Amino acid sequence: MSYTRKLLVLSMTLLATGLTTRLVAQDDKEVLAKYRAVAMEAGNAERGRMVFESKKAACKKCHVISGKERLAGPDLAVIGDKLTREQLIQSVLEPSATIHPDYATLNVITNDGKAHTGVLRQRTDNEIELFDAEGKLQKIPLGDVDEQHRGNVSLMPTGLFKTVKAGEFADLIAYLTTLRQKEGDAYPGMPAEIPQIAKPVRLQPFHSAEMRFDHPVWFIAKPGTKNEFLVVDQQTRKIWRLIRR
């Protein structure tokens, strides 16, 4: 049995399957290129931790390193395992270049004409809860909502280079690359030891050895089909369609 794979073309309207691309302001390209080059070559992780915790970087407003607290941005406990150095640099310098659906902004207009923008924490039968740009939780009664729609700009502010020097930015990226799963630590919800089963399971390759994926993190049968599957590459941020022939 053979398989073929095709790269799915993602658009801004398909937030559930991909990430939204945004352009960088022309005037900032030269500065961003300088910061990117410095961060690719150098950086001190210990100094970077201090940058992360500083008020001028303001990372801690929306991010935690570990713990159960939910903030506007993702937990960064193992971000070094998820993103390459280059991807980390882009995520910090150009936060709207790629927006994960879980952290897309929601724009809400209330009946009094006020606009509220934030990351959705939860929606109940009575209200909408949003994290705003300061990391504070806003609660908006559903009865006050006149209009709501998804935004295409990240809540994370741009222009970090205006408050953080190039060397400090390189240190910050160096620190983020060290945030990885510790060797031997069990993932949350997984047991530290898994007992051996009585009868070994026979594993069969799903596709040929020539068909390679780069850090696949998600595999599922495509809904509504019999012989098609979706494979998500974490590092390349691509979604492949695997077709059984």
Side-chain angles (χ1 to χ4, degrees), residues 20-39:
T20 307
T21 302
R22 290 288 169 263
L23 298 177
V24 182
Q26 186 67 34
D27 294 342
D28 295 337
K29 284 190 174 181
E30 186 174 337
V31 178
L32 293 179
K34 173 187 174 182
Y35 273 61
R36 185 175 292 107
V38 173

Side-chain angles (χ1 to χ4, degrees), residues 72-187:
D75 188 318
L76 302 180
V78 292
I79 195 65
D81 285 324
K82 296 179 179 179
L83 301 181
T84 64
R85 179 181 287 263
E86 186 175 359
Q87 289 171 338
L88 286 169
I89 291 171
Q90 184 186 50
S91 296
V92 180
L93 284 182
E94 307 169 52
S96 292
T98 53
I99 305 175
H100 191 284
D102 290 348
Y103 299 98
T105 53
L106 181 67
N107 300 317
V108 178
I109 309 296
T110 49
N111 295 325
D112 56 6
K114 293 182 178 180
H116 306 266
T117 299
V119 172
L120 182 66
R121 180 177 183 270
Q122 69 173 349
R123 187 192 305 268
T124 69
D125 293 336
N126 300 314
E127 63 186 11
I128 294 174
E129 296 184 7
L130 298 176
F131 284 112
D132 64 18
E134 295 299 316
K136 297 179 180 179
L137 187 63
Q138 296 185 25
K139 296 184 179 182
I140 307 171
L142 285 179
D144 293 346
V145 175
D146 178 53
E147 181 183 341
Q148 55 181 302
H149 59 86
R150 285 282 186 176
N152 53 23
V153 177
S154 173
L155 192 67
M156 182 174 170
T158 58
L160 182 67
F161 57 86
K162 297 176 182 178
T163 57
V164 173
K165 298 178 181 178
E168 293 174 322
F169 175 71
D171 292 339
L172 174 62
I173 296 300
Y175 171 61
L176 294 177
T177 63
T178 68
L179 301 179
R180 299 174 178 272
Q181 183 74 27
K182 292 181 174 59
E183 189 69 27
D185 285 358
Y187 286 89

Side-chain angles (χ1 to χ4, degrees), residues 2-19:
S2 63
Y3 296 85
T4 60
R5 65 176 182 177
K6 296 181 180 179
L7 178 62
L8 299 184
V9 179
L10 307 182
S11 69
M12 292 185 296
T13 58
L14 299 178
L15 287 177
T17 61
L19 305 167

